C-alpha cells in the first residue's frame, strides 16, 4: 500500500516499511513454531532483531561511526523505545518452550513485552503520549495491542512443560485468517482515511488563509495608493488639502497601520505620524539596518519589505514596510512610507475551522513564526501541509500547517484500536468456538450412531400413525376411508366441508349416497376390484353434495388398506377439479370458436371438415359434400367509414342469419375478416346445392339495421363439391376460395362453382406474377413504339408507348395476359411508373427525329393515387421533358370512376400543358354527356369498330357518329387498328384526322423506330 499511495511523511503512513516487515516476520516466526519448522521461526525472529538494530544504528548515527553509511538509504522509522522492545520481542519469538532454559527466557521476555504493552496502552490515555513511541497514534496503539496479545500468549505457552502444537482444522484456520485479514484491512483503511482527511483539511485551510492574507495585503496597497493619488490631484490643481488630517484618519481607521512617513528624494524624513498606541514607533523602525539598506535602493514603484531580524524575534512585533513613490507636484515629498503591524495584518477575521491545526508563516529558511498567539509552539507538532503566500509588490511567504493538538486524533485512533482488539478477540473466539463445535459434532456423531438403531425402531413404530394422522388431518383435499362394504369409517374436515356433510351423518353411510345411479354403476366395479385385487385406482367421479345437491367433479385416488396381507378397506383422496373442468371447456370452446360471432374458427372447421372427408372416403354417400366460401362484397368501405364497431355488428348479424338458415349437420365457420365458410352434406344433387347457395345469397342481401341506418351488402360465393380425387379438407377449402375469387371477378354478388381449369389458371397466375415482379425489379420490361399518322399530311406526328415483356428464354408474354394480372396485383403501379419515365427519356431522341409527342397508357390504380400529379411532375423534372411532349391515354372506365376527382386532376394536367386522350372509346357503358365536361383533347376509336369497317354498315354508322360528335365538342380523333387502304379511305371520308395500326407500322423498339423514321413516307 505504501508503494501505491506514495506517502510523503511518516505521518501519512498507517504502517511504515519497517513495521510491515516486522509484522511479516512475526507471522513467520509463529508459523515456524506451530508447524515445527524451527528454521522459519529463527528466520522470523532474526528479521525482527535486524530491523530493530538497523533503526537503532541510523537514528543514533552509529552507522557513520562504523562506516555503514549505506544503511541510511533504507527507512528507519522506529523510535528508540520501540527499537528496544522489538529486540526483546525477537528474542522471545526465537525461544522454544520444549527446552527448560528457553522456556525461562520466554517467560522473562514475554513478561517484559506484556508490561511494555500495558505501559504503551497507558501512554495513549494522554493525547500526546504516542509521540514517545511513533509518528501517529494509530500504529502505536495497534502495536501495543498486538504486543499485549503476543506477550500474554507466549507467557501462557512458557508455562506448558509439554508443548504440543494442536493446530485447528483447515476450515477454522481459513475462517480465522479471513476474519483477521478483514479486521486488519478495515483498520488500515479507516486509519488511512482519517489521516488523509486531517491532511486534506490542513491543505484547504492554508490555501484559504493564503488567499485571505494576500487579499488583505492587496487591500492595503490599494488604500495607500488612493491616498497618494488624492494628494497628487490636489497638488496638480492647487487645491488646499489637509494631508495630515487624511493621514490621521487612515491611522484611526486601519488598526494594523502603525505609522506613515513622508520622505524626500534622499530618503530623509520630512514628517512622520505614529499611531498613538503603536508598539513600534516609526523612528525605531527606520533605524533598523535592514530598513536603511532597503531605503537607499531606487524605488520607482510600490514596494513591500519585511525586516527579517524583527520577524525572527517571536517576542517582538513583526512589521512590514511599504514605500509608494509620489509625483513631484506634491511639495518636496517624493515617497510615502507606511509601517504595518504584520501580526494584525496576517491574522484576518477568517478563522481556522479546526483548532487542532496551527499555521506558521515562513519568510526564509531561518525566519519563521506563527501569528496565532493563543497557540504556543511545542516540539510535538506534526507538519501537515504548506502553500505559497504571495505579497503584492513584496516577497513570497510560505504558510505551513501543523497538527497542534492530538486529542481528537488520539481519541479516533484509540477507538479504531479498540475495534481491532475486539476483531482479533472475536476471530480467536470464533476459531475456538468453531473447533469446539467440530469436537462436539464429532462426539455427537458417535452418539448419533449409537442411538440411530433405537430411533429407527421408534420411527417405524410411529410412522403408520403419523401417516394416518397427516393423511386425514392435514391434507387440504377430501380424504376418506371405506370398509370392504363401501361404508365410510373416517373422513377429514376437508371432506365434510366440500361434500356438505358432518361426521355424525356419515356414520355407516354408503358412498352411493353421493352418486347418481349412472355414476354408482360406473364406480362400483372399480371399488370391488380394489377390494379384491388390492391394487390402487384413479378415476374421476361426479359427486352430489349432501345438502345443496350441487354436482362437483372430483379426481379420486383409491389406495387399498392392507394389514397382514388382507385388504380391510380402502383409502380415498379426492381433489375438486370442477373449476378446472369448466376452464378446460371454456378454453376448448375459445380454441375452436371465433370470439366475435361464436362460430367455428378455421382450425375447428378444418378438423370437422376432415372428419366429413374421411367419412366420405371410407363410406361414400349419395349425398354431396360441398364447401361454400362466402365473402361479403363492399364490407371494407363500410368498416373503414362507419367504424369497427359497426363492422363487428354487421358480422354478428351475418353469422346469426347463417346460423338461423343452416341446419344440422352442416358446419359453419368464420375464417377471417368478412369471410365465412360452410360445409354441407345434406344436398343430394347439384340443383339442390344451387338452391341452397341462392338461399344464402338472398338472406345475406337483406338490409342490416345498425342503429338508425340500414346497410346493404351482397356476397360472392365460391362452391366446390367433394370428388374422390380430393385428398383432404384443405384442398376443398382452397378450391372454394379460388371459385369465390372467380365470382368476384365476374362482378360480385355472384356465385361460382370450382373447376380444375380455374385452379390451373390460378397456379399459372401465381408463377406469372412472380416472374413479372422479377422483371420489374430488374427493369427488363421493354417499351415498343407504334407511330400515329396524320391522314392529311401522311407524316408521323406522335407515337404510342406500349409495354412488352419477354422471358429469359425469349418467350413473349401477351399484354392481354400480364397487364390485367399486374392491375389485379398492384404491380401495374411500379411497372407503369417505369414506363412513364422510360418514355420521357426516349422522347429526347424521338423529338430530335421529328416526333412531336409520345402517348403513354395509364391504369386506374396509377390515376387515382393521391400523389399521381406530383409523380408526373417529378418524372418530367428528372428527365427534363417538356410537358407539351407528353400525352396520357386513359380509358372511359377510369374517367367515370369518381368523376369529380378525375376532372380536377385533368384540369391540372391541362394547365400544365399535358394532353389527355380517351383510349378505347366506344367500349364503355357510360353515357356520352361527360365528353363536354372532361378536359381532354383526343378520342381514340377502339379497334373493334375499325376491324370490319368496310364490310359492316353498323360499324360505319357508329364510327362516323363518334367522329362527328368529337368534332362538335372540339376533340381530335384517332382510329386504332387501321390495317387496309379501304379503312383509311372511309376514315378520311368520315373526317377522321389520325390513324394508327399495322397498315402503317407494327409496334417496334426505339432503335428500330429511329431507323424507320429516317426513310419512310406514308402518304
Amino acid at each position: 500500500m505504501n508503494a501505491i499511495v506514495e506517502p510523503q511523511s511518516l505521518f501519512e503512513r498507517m504502517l511504515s516499511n519497517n513495521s510491515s516487515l516486522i509484522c511479516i516476520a512475526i507471522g513467520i516466526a509463529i508459523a515456524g513454531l506451530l508447524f515445527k519448522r524451527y528454521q522459519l521461526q529463527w528466520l522470523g525472529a532474526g528479521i525482527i532483531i535486524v530491523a530493530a538494530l538497523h533503526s537503532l544504528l541510523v537514528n543514533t548515527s552509529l552507522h557513520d561511526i562504523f562506516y555503514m553509511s549505506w544503511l541510511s538509504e533504507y527507512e528507519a522509522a522506529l523510535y528508540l523505545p520501540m527499537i528496544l522492545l522489538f529486540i526483546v520481542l525477537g528474542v522471545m519469538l526465537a525461544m522454544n518452550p520444549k527446552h527448560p532454559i528457553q522456556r525461562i527466557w520466554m517467560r522473562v521476555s514475554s513478561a517484559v513485552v506484556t508490561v511494555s504493552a500495558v505501559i504503551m496502552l497507558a501512554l495513549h490515555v494522554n493525547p500526546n503520549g504516542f509521540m514517545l513511541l511513533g509518528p501517529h497514534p494509530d500504529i502505536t496503539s495497534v502495536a501495543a495491542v498486538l504486543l499485549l496479545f503476543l506477550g500474554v500468549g507466549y507467557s501462557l505457552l512458557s508455562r506448558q512443560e509439554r508443548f504440543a502444537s494442536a493446530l485447528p482444522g483447515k476450515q477454522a484456520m481459513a475462517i480465522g485468517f479471513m476474519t483477521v485479514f478483514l479486521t486488519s484491512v478495515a483498520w488500515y483503511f479507516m486509519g488511512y482515511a482519517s489521516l488523509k482527511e486531517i491532511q486534506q483539511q490542513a491543505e484547504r485551510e492554508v490555501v484559504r488563509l493564503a488567499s485571505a492574507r494576500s487579499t488583505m495585503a492587496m487591500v492595503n496597497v490599494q488604500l495607500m495608493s488612493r491616498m497618494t493619488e488624492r494628494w497628487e490631484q490636489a497638488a496638480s490643481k492647487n487645491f488646499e488639502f489637509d494631508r495630515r488630517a487624511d493621514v490621521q484618519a487612515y491611522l484611526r481607521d486601519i488598526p494594523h497601520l502603525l505609522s506613515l512617513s513622508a520622505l524626500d528624494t534622499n530618503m530623509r524624513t520630512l514628517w512622520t505620524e505614529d499611531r498613538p498606541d503603536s508598539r513600534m514607533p516609526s523612528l525605531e523602525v527606520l533605524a533598523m539596518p535592514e530598513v536603511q539598506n532597503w531605503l537607499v535602493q531606487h524605488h520607482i514603484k510600490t514596494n513591500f519589505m519585511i525586516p527579517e531580524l524583527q520577524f525572527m524575534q517571536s517576542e517582538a512585533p513583526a512589521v512590514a514596510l511599504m514605500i509608494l513613490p509620489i509625483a513631484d507636484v506634491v511639495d518636496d515629498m517624493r515617497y510615502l512610507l507606511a509601517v504595518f503591524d504584520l501580526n494584525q495584518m496576517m491574522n484576518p477575521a477568517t478563522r481556522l475551522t479546526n483548532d487542532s491545526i496551527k499555521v506558521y508563516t515562513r519568510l526564509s529558511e531561518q525566519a519563521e513564526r506563527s501569528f496565532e498567539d493563543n497557540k504556543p509552539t511545542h516540539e510535538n507538532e506534526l507538519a501537515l501541509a504548506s502553500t505559497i503566500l504571495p505579497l503584492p509588490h513584496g516577497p513570497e511567504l510560505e504558510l505551513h500547517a501543523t497538527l497542534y493538538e492530538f486529542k481528537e486524533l488520539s481519541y479516533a485512533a484509540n477507538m479504531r484500536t479498540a475495534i481491532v482488539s475486539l476483531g482479533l478477540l472475536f476471530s480467536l473466539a470464533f476459531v475456538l468456538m468453531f473447533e469446539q463445535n467440530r469436537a462436539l459434532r464429532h462426539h455427537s456423531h458417535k452418539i448419533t450412531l449409537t442411538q440411530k438403531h433405537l430411533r429407527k425402531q421408534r420411527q417405524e413404530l410411529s410412522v403408520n400413525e403419523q401417516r394416518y394422522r397427516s393423511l386425514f388431518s392435514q391434507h387440504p383435499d377430501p380424504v376418506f376411508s371405506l370398509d370392504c362394504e363401501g361404508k365410510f369409517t373416517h373422513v377429514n374436515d376437508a371432506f365434510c366441508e366440500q361434500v356438505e356433510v358432518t361426521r355424525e351423518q356419515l356414520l355407516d353411510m354408503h358412498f352411493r349416497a353421493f352418486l347418481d345411479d349412472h355414476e354408482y354403476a360406473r364406480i362400483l366395479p372399480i371399488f370391488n376390484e380394489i377390494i379384491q385385487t388390492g391394487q390402487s385406482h384413479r378415476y374421476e367421479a361426479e359427486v352430489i353434495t349432501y345438502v345443496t345437491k350441487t354436482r362437483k367433479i372430483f379426481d379420486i385416488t383409491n389406495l387399498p388398506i392392507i394389514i397382514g396381507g388382507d385388504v380391510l378397506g380402502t383409502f380415498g383422496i379426492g381433489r375438486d377439479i370442477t373449476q378446472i373442468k369448466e376452464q378446460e371447456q371454456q378454453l376448448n370452446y375459445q380454441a375452436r370458436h371465433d370470439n366475435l360471432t361464436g362460430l367455428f374458427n378455421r382450425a375447428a372447421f378444418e378438423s370437422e371438415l376432415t372428419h366429413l372427408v374421411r367419412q366420405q372416403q371410407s363410406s361414400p354417400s349419395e349425398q354431396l359434400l360441398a364447401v361454400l366460401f362466402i365473402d361479403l362484397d363492399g364490407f371494407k368501405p363500410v368498416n373503414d367509414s362507419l367504424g369497427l364497431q359497426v363492422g363487428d355488428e354487421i358480422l354478428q348479424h351475418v353469422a346469426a342469419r347463417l346460423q338461423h338458415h343452416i341446419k344440422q349437420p352442416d358446419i359453419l365457420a368464420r375464417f377471417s375478416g368478412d369471410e365465412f365458410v360452410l360445409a354441407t352434406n345434406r344436398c343430394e344433387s347439384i340443383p339442390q346445392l344451387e338452391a341452397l347457395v341462392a338461399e344464402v345469397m338472398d338472406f345475406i342481401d337483406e338490409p342490416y339495421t345498425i342503429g338508425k341506418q340500414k346497410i346493404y351488402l351482397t356476397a360472392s360465393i365460391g362452391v366446390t363439391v367433394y370428388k374422390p380425387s380430393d385428398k383432404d379438407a384443405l384442398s376443398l377449402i382452397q378450391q372454394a376460395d379460388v371459385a369465390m375469387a372467380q365470382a368476384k371477378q365476374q362482378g360480385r354478388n355472384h356465385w361460382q362453382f370450382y373447376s380444375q381449369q380455374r385452379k390451373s389458371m390460378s397456379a399459372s397466375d401465381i408463377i406469372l406474377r412472380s416472374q413479372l415482379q422479377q422483371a420489374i425489379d430488374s427493369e427488363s420490361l421493354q417499351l415498343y413504339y407504334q407511330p400515329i399518322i396524320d391522314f392529311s399530311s401522311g407524316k408521323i406526328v406522335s407515337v404510342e408507348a406500349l409495354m412488352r415483356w419477354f422471358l429469359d428464354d425469349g418467350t413473349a408474354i401477351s399484354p392481354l395476359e400480364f397487364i390485367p394480372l399486374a392491375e389485379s396485383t398492384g404491380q401495374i403501379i411500379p411497372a407503369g411508373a417505369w414506363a412513364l419515365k422510360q418514355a420521357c427519356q426516349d422522347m429526347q431522341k424521338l423529338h430530335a427525329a421529328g416526333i412531336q409527342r409520345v402517348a403513354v397508357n395509364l391504369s386506374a390504380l396509377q390515376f387515382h393515387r393521391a400523389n399521381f400529379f406530383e409523380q408526373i411532375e417529378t418524372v418530367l423534372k428528372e428527365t427534363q421533358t417538356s410537358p407539351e411532349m407528353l400525352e396520357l391515354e386513359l380509358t372511359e372506365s377510369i374517367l367515370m370512376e369518381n368523376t369529380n376527382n378525375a376532372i380536377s386532376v385533368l384540369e391540372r394536367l391541362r394547365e400544365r400543358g399535358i394532353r389527355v386522350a380517351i383510349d378505347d372509346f366506344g367500349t364503355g357503358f357510360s353515357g356520352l354527356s361527360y365528353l363536354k365536361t372532361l378536359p381532354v383533347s383526343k378520342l381514340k376509336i377502339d379497334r373493334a369498330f375499325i376491324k370490319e369497317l368496310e364490310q359492316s354498315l353498323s360499324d360505319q354508322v357508329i364510327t362516323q357518329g363518334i367522329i362527328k360528335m368529337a368534332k362538335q365538342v372540339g376533340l381530335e380523333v384517332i382510329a386504332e387498328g387501321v390495317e387496309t387502304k379501304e379503312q383509311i379511305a372511309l376514315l378520311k371520308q368520315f373526317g377522321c384526322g389520325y390513324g394508327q395500326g399495322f397498315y402503317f407500322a407494327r409496334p417496334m423498339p426505339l432503335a428500330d423506330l429511329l431507323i424507320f423514321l429516317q426513310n419512310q413516307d406514308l402518304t
Side-chain angles (χ1 to χ4, degrees):
M1 287 303 296
N2 288 340
I4 296 174
V5 301
E6 297 182 354
Q8 300 299 318
S9 66
L10 291 178
F11 176 78
E12 299 179 31
R13 298 189 181 187
M14 283 297 296
L15 201 61
S16 66
N17 295 336
N18 277 25
S19 301
S20 302
L21 181 62
I22 290 174
C23 290
I24 296 172
I26 292 173
I28 294 174
I30 295 174
L33 178 62
L34 293 176
F35 292 103
K36 299 180 181 180
R37 298 291 187 267
Y38 300 118
Q39 293 83 357
L40 285 177
Q41 179 185 359
W42 297 334
L43 175 63
I47 292 175
I48 296 172
I49 295 174
V50 169
L53 291 176
H54 166 260
S55 293
L56 179 62
L57 293 175
V58 173
N59 292 340
T60 58
S61 301
L62 292 176
H63 65 293
D64 293 329
I65 299 175
F66 294 111
Y67 302 102
M68 303 172 68
S69 58
W70 53 271
L71 290 176
S72 60
E73 297 178 3
Y74 302 98
E75 182 183 81
L78 299 180
Y79 286 27
L80 183 60
M82 298 304 297
I83 293 173
L84 300 176
L85 185 56
F86 280 130
I87 293 175
V88 176
L89 178 65
V91 172
M92 182 187 75
L93 293 176
M95 298 296 104
N96 191 332
K98 287 185 176 181
H99 302 284
I101 297 177
Q102 292 188 25
R103 198 161 51 244
I104 295 173
W105 278 103
M106 180 183 289
R107 191 174 302 172
V108 173
S109 59
S110 63
V112 173
V113 171
T114 303
V115 172
S116 299
V118 172
I119 294 173
M120 290 173 63
L121 290 174
L123 287 175
H124 283 81
V125 176
N126 187 338
N128 298 328
F130 74 92
M131 296 298 295
L132 299 174
L133 307 173
H136 54 76
D138 278 283
I139 182 59
T140 56
S141 58
V142 167
V145 171
L146 294 178
L147 290 173
L148 179 61
F149 286 169
L150 289 173
V152 173
Y154 271 77
S155 178
L156 296 175
L157 187 61
S158 67
R159 286 167 173 76
Q160 296 183 6
E161 296 182 0
R162 294 181 180 182
F163 169 70
S165 57
L167 295 176
K170 293 182 179 179
Q171 292 183 343
M173 292 176 65
I175 293 173
F177 173 79
M178 184 58 64
T179 53
V180 171
F181 175 77
L182 293 177
T183 301
S184 302
V185 169
W187 166 79
Y188 182 90
F189 282 104
M190 286 192 300
Y192 180 76
S194 176
L195 296 181
K196 291 302 292 183
E197 174 62 24
I198 293 173
Q199 190 172 31
Q200 291 173 359
Q201 187 178 20
E203 292 175 353
R204 292 192 297 269
E205 292 289 347
V206 295
V207 170
R208 184 171 63 86
L209 287 180
S211 176
R213 293 177 178 181
S214 178
T215 302
M216 176 63 71
M218 178 58 71
V219 168
N220 284 280
V221 171
Q222 292 174 350
L223 289 174
M224 297 299 105
S225 298
R226 289 172 186 166
M227 182 170 63
T228 57
E229 289 174 1
R230 288 196 303 272
W231 293 359
E232 292 171 353
Q233 290 178 0
S236 62
K237 296 180 181 180
N238 295 320
F239 289 162
E240 292 186 1
F241 189 79
D242 189 353
R243 288 195 292 269
R244 187 168 296 275
D246 196 16
V247 167
Q248 291 175 352
Y250 264 62
L251 291 173
R252 182 181 64 253
D253 296 336
I254 302 176
H256 53 268
L257 180 60
L258 299 179
S259 65
L260 288 172
S261 302
L263 305 179
D264 60 10
T265 305
N266 297 321
M267 297 297 174
R268 291 192 299 268
T269 303
L270 299 178
W271 54 262
T272 184
E273 204 54 56
D274 287 320
R275 188 180 188 85
D277 57 350
S278 174
R279 293 185 298 167
M280 287 292 296
S282 58
L283 295 178
E284 185 178 339
V285 174
L286 293 176
M288 295 179 184
E290 285 183 84
V291 176
Q292 292 294 324
N293 293 333
W294 176 66
L295 288 176
V296 297
Q297 297 175 9
H298 185 55
H299 299 282
I300 59 174
K301 60 181 180 178
T302 302
N303 213 337
F304 234 116
M305 184 263 185
I306 300 176
E308 184 172 337
L309 292 176
Q310 186 75 10
F311 188 86
M312 293 172 59
Q313 298 173 10
S314 58
E315 68 281 356
V319 295
L321 289 83
M322 180 173 61
I323 189 169
L324 293 89
I326 302 176
D328 55 6
V329 296
V330 184
D331 302 333
D332 296 332
M333 186 168 51
R334 293 296 174 265
Y335 298 97
L336 177 65
L337 179 66
V339 180
F340 297 96
D341 186 340
L342 193 59
N343 190 21
Q344 291 188 24
M345 189 173 72
M346 290 297 167
N347 198 15
T350 53
R351 309 299 300 170
L352 293 174
T353 58
N354 189 347
D355 288 337
S356 299
I357 297 175
K358 183 177 181 180
V359 177
Y360 288 88
T361 304
R362 176 178 294 176
L363 180 61
S364 65
E365 291 294 332
Q366 298 79 21
E368 181 180 77
R369 69 184 295 168
S370 172
F371 295 113
E372 298 179 77
D373 297 334
N374 60 334
K375 295 179 181 179
T377 302
H378 62 81
E379 61 182 5
N380 292 331
E381 295 181 22
L382 295 175
L384 296 177
S386 64
T387 189
I388 299 300
L389 169 59
L391 288 181
H393 308 289
E396 282 190 349
L397 304 180
E398 187 175 358
L399 296 185
H400 294 274
T402 64
L403 187 62
Y404 180 77
E405 293 182 355
F406 305 99
K407 184 177 180 179
E408 293 183 5
L409 178 63
S410 297
Y411 177 77
N414 292 338
M415 291 298 296
R416 288 191 288 272
T417 302
I419 294 173
V420 171
S421 303
L422 293 175
L424 294 177
L425 290 174
F426 171 79
S427 302
L428 178 60
F430 190 82
V431 170
L432 294 175
M433 182 182 65
F434 190 87
E435 282 299 293
Q436 185 180 14
N437 190 29
R438 187 179 68 164
L440 290 174
R441 287 199 306 270
H442 181 70
H443 183 66
S444 176
H445 180 66
K446 290 182 178 181
I447 297 175
T448 301
L449 291 177
T450 305
Q451 297 177 348
K452 184 176 182 180
H453 184 65
L454 293 174
R455 283 201 310 270
K456 185 176 181 181
Q457 289 181 341
R458 292 174 182 174
Q459 289 176 355
E460 289 177 352
L461 290 174
S462 62
V463 66
N464 291 330
E465 181 183 357
Q466 293 177 3
R467 288 178 179 175
Y468 185 81
R469 185 182 298 111
S470 299
L471 180 64
F472 280 85
S473 303
Q474 301 178 13
H475 204 291
D477 293 325
V479 181
F480 58 91
S481 64
L482 304 172
D483 59 17
C484 292
E485 296 179 0
K487 295 182 179 180
F488 290 97
T489 58
H490 295 88
V491 294
N492 67 349
D493 294 338
F495 184 95
C496 296
E497 180 181 352
Q498 296 187 26
V499 186
E500 301 174 1
V501 67
T502 64
R503 287 186 174 85
E504 292 76 13
Q505 292 172 332
L506 275 173
L507 186 64
D508 292 333
M509 185 180 290
H510 198 275
F511 69 82
R512 72 170 300 171
F514 301 98
L515 304 173
D516 60 19
D517 294 339
H518 174 74
E519 281 293 277
Y520 177 70
R522 183 177 67 86
I523 293 174
L524 181 61
I526 300 174
F527 173 77
N528 292 333
E529 183 179 354
I530 296 171
I531 299 298
Q532 294 170 6
T533 63
Q535 296 181 351
S536 61
H537 277 271
R538 183 177 179 179
Y539 54 91
E540 292 181 3
E542 187 178 78
V543 176
I544 303 174
T545 60
Y546 192 72
V547 177
T548 61
K549 304 302 179 184
T550 303
R551 292 180 179 269
K552 297 182 179 180
I553 301 175
F554 281 87
D555 179 8
I556 299 176
T557 301
N558 278 128
L559 308 170
I561 302 175
I562 301 176
I563 298 177
D566 298 329
V567 178
L568 302 182
T570 176
F571 284 118
I573 302 175
R575 185 165 64 93
D576 188 356
I577 59 172
T578 307
Q579 188 175 4
I580 296 176
K581 287 293 183 181
E582 293 175 352
Q583 291 176 351
E584 288 179 355
Q585 293 176 359
Q586 181 66 22
L587 290 175
N588 290 335
Y589 179 84
Q590 293 176 352
R592 292 174 54 83
H593 290 77
D594 175 54
N595 292 332
L596 179 63
T597 61
L599 302 178
F600 278 138
N601 57 20
R602 180 168 189 159
F605 181 83
E606 290 180 359
S607 175
E608 297 292 330
L609 183 58
T610 298
H611 177 70
L612 293 179
V613 170
R614 290 175 180 173
Q615 196 175 50
Q616 192 75 8
Q617 289 173 342
S618 60
S619 56
S621 172
E622 294 182 358
Q623 292 179 321
L624 302 177
L625 175 58
V627 176
L628 282 64
F629 202 105
I630 306 167
D631 185 273
L632 300 181
D633 300 328
F635 175 75
K636 187 177 185 305
V638 173
N639 202 35
D640 294 343
S641 59
L642 299 182
L644 297 177
Q645 184 176 356
V646 174
D648 290 345
E649 291 186 29
I650 292 175
L651 293 175
Q652 290 171 343
H653 282 298
V654 173
R657 292 183 186 181
L658 289 170
Q659 287 178 305
H660 178 72
H661 290 84
I662 300 304
K663 301 177 182 178
Q664 295 291 339
D666 294 349
I667 306 169
L668 180 62
R670 177 186 175 220
F671 264 32
S672 63
D674 58 349
E675 295 178 344
F676 298 85
V677 184
L678 170 67
T680 179
N681 60 354
R682 58 187 173 91
C683 296
E684 297 180 354
S685 62
I686 294 297
Q688 285 186 357
L689 181 59
E690 290 177 344
L692 174 63
V693 175
E695 180 185 358
V696 171
M697 294 194 67
D698 288 341
F699 65 69
I700 289 179
D701 288 349
E702 294 178 3
Y704 299 88
T705 303
I706 306 298
K708 296 182 179 181
Q709 55 185 336
K710 290 185 177 182
I711 300 172
Y712 293 85
L713 292 175
T714 59
S716 298
I717 303 178
V719 186
T720 186
V721 179
Y722 170 79
K723 301 177 293 299
S725 60
D726 296 325
K727 297 181 179 180
D728 52 28
L730 187 59
S731 62
L732 289 176
I733 297 172
Q734 291 175 343
Q735 293 171 10
D737 189 12
V738 171
M740 183 274 294
Q742 293 291 330
K744 281 199 175 285
Q745 292 179 1
Q746 296 182 14
R748 310 187 182 221
N749 194 19
H750 186 69
W751 55 270
Q752 180 69 47
F753 272 89
Y754 168 80
S755 67
Q756 186 66 30
Q757 179 184 6
R758 289 192 180 89
K759 181 179 180 182
S760 300
M761 290 174 61
S762 297
S764 64
D765 285 349
I766 294 173
I767 297 173
L768 195 64
R769 173 183 177 177
S770 177
Q771 292 175 329
L772 177 58
Q773 187 60 47
Q774 294 177 8
I776 294 172
D777 294 340
S778 61
E779 296 188 355
S780 57
L781 297 174
Q782 297 183 28
L783 281 186
Y784 275 42
Y785 295 94
Q786 188 174 29
I788 299 175
I789 311 302
D790 186 349
F791 284 151
S792 61
S793 63
K795 300 293 184 180
I796 299 174
V797 294
S798 62
V799 293
E800 180 181 3
L802 302 170
M803 196 181 302
R804 294 293 184 264
W805 178 24
F806 296 91
L807 299 180
D808 294 339
D809 59 1
T811 304
I813 307 298
S814 171
L816 298 177
E817 184 176 359
F818 75 82
I819 294 296
L821 175 65
E823 289 179 340
S824 64
T825 62
Q827 292 171 305
I828 194 65
I829 294 175
W834 170 84
L836 177 64
K837 185 174 182 179
Q838 187 63 43
C840 290
Q841 291 175 345
D842 293 346
M843 186 58 201
Q844 309 301 325
K845 297 180 180 179
L846 293 172
H847 185 68
I851 301 301
Q852 298 178 6
R853 66 181 57 88
V854 61
V856 181
N857 291 280
L858 293 179
S859 69
L861 290 177
Q862 286 178 278
F863 183 77
H864 290 296
R865 287 176 72 86
N867 60 344
F868 164 71
F869 184 80
E870 288 73 15
Q871 290 178 346
I872 298 293
E873 287 278 18
T874 302
V875 170
L876 293 176
K877 183 177 181 180
E878 289 179 352
T879 58
Q880 297 182 353
T881 303
S882 173
E884 291 77 12
M885 298 180 182
L886 179 62
E887 185 173 272
L888 303 178
E889 294 189 2
L890 310 172
T891 62
E892 291 178 83
S893 60
I894 296 176
L895 298 174
M896 296 310 299
E897 183 179 345
N898 195 355
T899 305
N900 293 333
N901 180 66
I903 292 175
S904 175
V905 174
L906 294 178
E907 287 287 357
R908 296 182 67 186
L909 292 173
R910 183 167 65 179
E911 292 173 359
R912 190 69 177 85
I914 300 173
R915 298 167 66 89
V916 178
I918 301 178
D919 196 14
D920 299 335
F921 186 79
T923 60
F925 301 98
S926 304
L928 302 175
S929 60
Y930 69 89
L931 284 178
K932 65 180 181 179
T933 60
L934 291 177
V936 297
S937 56
K938 287 183 182 179
L939 294 182
K940 297 188 73 172
I941 303 175
D942 189 71
R943 66 184 66 251
F945 302 109
I946 308 301
K947 184 177 182 181
E948 299 178 356
L949 185 63
E950 57 266 55
Q951 292 89 15
S952 175
L953 181 61
S954 61
D955 287 346
Q956 293 179 12
V957 173
I958 293 173
T959 302
Q960 189 173 12
I962 292 174
I963 294 172
K964 288 183 178 180
M965 177 184 60
K967 286 187 174 182
Q968 290 177 357
V969 294
L971 301 180
E972 297 176 352
V973 181
I974 302 174
E976 294 183 304
V978 178
E979 298 182 358
T980 64
K981 286 187 177 181
E982 290 76 10
Q983 293 172 350
I984 296 175
L986 287 173
L987 290 170
K988 287 183 177 180
Q989 180 181 345
F990 295 157
C992 181
Y994 303 92
Q996 173 184 356
F998 290 170
Y999 177 80
F1000 303 109
R1002 290 179 175 273
M1004 64 190 77
L1006 176 64
D1008 295 346
L1009 176 62
L1010 294 176
I1011 297 173
F1012 178 81
L1013 292 174
Q1014 293 176 0
N1015 304 314
Q1016 293 298 318
D1017 185 3
L1018 303 175
T1019 55

